Amino acid sequence: MTLSCTAQAAAYQRDWTKSLRARLAAGEAYAFANADTPLEVFHALGMPVVVNQWWSSVIAAKQLSALHLDASERAGFHGRLAKYSALPLFAAQDGRPESQPWGGLPHPGLLCARASADDHPLIFAEWARLTGAPLRILSAPGHDAPAPDWWTPLRDPWEDEVGTARLDLMVAEIADLTALAETVAGRRTEDGALAALMARIDRQERLFDETAQLIADAPRLPVRISEMIPNVMIPQWHRGSDWALAHATRFRDAVAARIAEGAAVCPDERVRMMWIGAGLWFDTGFYTRFEDQGAVFAWSMYLPFAADGYLRADHGDPMRALAARVIDLNEHLHQPPWAGAWHVKEALRHRIDLAVIIVPASDRPSGYGTNFIARALNEAGIACVMIDADMVDARAWDGERAHRLVSEAIDRVLQKGR
Amino acid sequence: MPAQILLFGHGVPLSDPVLAGLAVRDVTRLYRAPIPGSRVAPLLEPFLDPFVRAFLLGLEAGAFQDASLVVIWRQGAGALHAYRYAQELRRLGLVPALPRLHLWNRTGGETEAARAFDATQDAALAALTAGLPRGPVLDREGPLAVLDARQAAGLISGSLAFAHRLKARATGLPAATETAGQTSGPRLALAGAPLGSDRLHRWLDRQGQLVLDLQGPDVPNRYPLERMLERRGVEILVWQVDPHDDLHGWKAPATHALCRRLGIRFVDLGYIPAFASFRDLPEVLP
């Protein structure tokens, strides 16, 4: 039985998209931005923002990815280019309302990406060429001496961990992005709006932190990751809004109630798994297919990352805190030494027996570092299975093989004994 | 022998004022196979950038041991991953602890903030190299311009011109400019992903005259692409990308469209490994 808040989150996002279309039809501009950019700039301004990777997941979930990816190859983009971050571009190049989720979106008023992957500036340059929208590519200077346990210093004393020079640069670029957004929107961000937003986001992420801990401490998994994800990510796309904060509370309370009832996804739970990497958006049912073996996916990154990836004390300077949040946001999930250490920490907290790692060969920034993650987990005593798959390209998905690999790994865990 | 600074990253500016007079070499396009029993190779994903792979395997093999410093140029494609992996391999004790690795993080941005940040990066590199001996400042740009002009005039084979450029990078010395091996046939341009071997160039020498080599290193950039194609009378643009390319392919449709507009034949060879063998090449231009 699903949580009632799961349907509420989906309904909110559906209604938001419909209302967005109405606002856009009335001439309001919106921003189209990558997930690892400071979306807070747009939220504080009250400017609608559509997140590239969210839209990509929706296209894939609507089983439209093959149509657009095939077309992209006919247009001359080779088939091994990244797809997760490019699928919305390909859909926009198609342009037909009937081949877009909910009829699609008009051209954005502003584009924003961060150079956290070498290809993001190129993908967004194509967007800019297609739409004529102004584009901001935020710099992504690398951390020269990253601490493996980044999540601890970044919650509060982040200045030293991030580095003053990198923060100064990111703050200036966020200020520049804010100015551009204000020009496009035709209004100014209200005084104090960003500070208030950041404070609400802080409360929201603490609620998610509580929820993640509740799930980690529960004797058996109380809620599937396919439910966790919309309950976290839809509020995350609207983070800091009244609705998002209220929904984070609803979700925490619903999880707590379910745990209090003694409910379990799999009453005969014997193996706890973690899904490492972004979601398998075209086949989220995959996550439930091992429950007859007593195996559950107890973890995906989205819920715990809401806390570790986003909680940054503002120290009276919300824009600098925002810079500290975004400057290595996606990198923490994939690059050594950060990703290995974090996944080990999370695996131990959630009593994980088996990690399933999605390895997208054609989305290299997401595929890179996976061997280091597996090595770190193995050294911590956690078995790993690597699945060759793309997050949105259903054409290349060998579900039977993936099922067999995971199923065999579960058997090995069971034979070894928990 | 002067203290060597090794540089990794496509496009790293050997003649940057910060490096002026230092003994620098660019190791970006050097091939390395795994050492027997490599402990690093199993940690490298099969789709890892081929130049990053070669660099990391070289690090494990001790190929850079004589250098006083290895500088990684953040702006180069894949370079940040080279740095991350190298650091992690070192943390795990899988590659030698020396020489020191340094991330040269310059953004190249035009804003005041970007310039200020870049200045901090340059200052950090200058501080690291302050104690190293400096010799005369080499003129690298002049010989490269001569080499490019001779290639544009069809006075040198594509493979020799590429070999001159690779050698100049690998030694840090000015490029040789002597010409040889003039070829005949249609005037070609080569574009797409960077290559590490001259196999494709040698093959192209049998197909025509390579008068414009856009895959680098040291790609001519004085003029926009359209003007270079026209000025050099390019008849065929040959396109290729590495089998794991996720970057250069984004430019293919626009380049193809430009060629169509200019009446230039666009030939896509498909996936050609950065360190290609003859097996990877067709017999003739498709």
Side-chain angles (χ1 to χ4, degrees), chain B residues 51-258:
Chain B
F51 300 101
V52 174
R53 172 184 302 278
F55 170 73
L56 296 169
L57 294 174
L59 204 60
E60 182 185 32
F64 311 137
Q65 288 294 83
D66 293 336
S68 53
L69 183 66
V70 175
V71 176
I72 295 180
W73 174 243
R74 166 66 179 94
Q75 284 187 40
L80 183 59
H81 283 96
Y83 183 71
R84 285 273 174 278
Y85 276 42
Q87 275 191 318
E88 183 69 351
L89 292 169
R90 219 166 238 186
R91 199 175 70 89
L92 297 172
L94 300 179
V95 298
L98 292 171
R100 178 174 180 159
L101 295 170
H102 178 74
L103 184 65
W104 193 6
N105 233 342
R106 199 192 275 173
T107 68
E110 295 296 323
T111 64
E112 189 180 330
R115 281 195 292 272
F117 178 80
D118 289 351
T120 69
Q121 293 298 305
D122 290 351
L125 181 54
L128 267 182
T129 57
L132 299 178
R134 293 188 186 241
V137 176
L138 300 177
D139 173 19
R140 296 188 179 88
E141 307 310 318
L144 283 170
V146 170
L147 180 61
D148 183 54
R150 289 178 178 173
Q151 183 161 24
L155 300 175
I156 184 171
S157 70
S159 59
L160 183 58
F162 185 46
H164 285 339
R165 291 192 185 96
L166 284 180
K167 188 173 179 185
R169 282 264 160 186
T171 60
L173 299 173
T177 57
E178 66 264 27
T179 58
Q182 274 180 270
T183 61
S184 59
R187 295 172 69 80
L188 309 175
L190 174 62
L195 293 159
S197 86
D198 68 353
R199 291 282 167 79
L200 178 58
H201 288 75
R202 282 195 268 160
W203 175 83
L204 281 176
D205 285 343
R206 299 202 300 272
Q207 318 301 322
Q209 308 171 65
L210 184 64
V211 295
L212 179 59
D213 190 349
L214 295 162
Q215 57 77 45
D218 299 307
V219 176
N221 58 6
R222 279 183 63 199
Y223 304 108
L225 174 60
E226 178 173 348
R227 189 166 171 200
M228 284 196 289
L229 292 169
E230 286 182 323
R231 283 171 63 102
R232 299 190 187 203
V234 170
E235 298 165 85
I236 302 172
L237 185 140
V238 179
W239 181 268
Q240 49 74 41
V241 293
D242 182 79
H244 300 296
D245 170 69
D246 64 357
L247 204 58
H248 303 277
W250 286 108
K251 299 173 186 166
T255 307
H256 192 171
L258 174 63

Side-chain angles (χ1 to χ4, degrees), chain A residues 280 282-283 285-286 289-290 293 356 385-389 394-410:
Chain A
L280 192 67
F282 54 84
D283 188 11
F286 184 76
R289 288 194 193 124
F290 307 93
Q293 285 181 273
V356 180
V385 182
M386 317 286 269
I387 301 288
D388 295 325
R395 302 171 306 172
W397 173 235
D398 186 345
E400 282 185 23
R401 181 172 186 276
H403 186 276
R404 189 179 70 250
L405 287 172
V406 175
S407 185
E408 289 171 356
I410 291 167

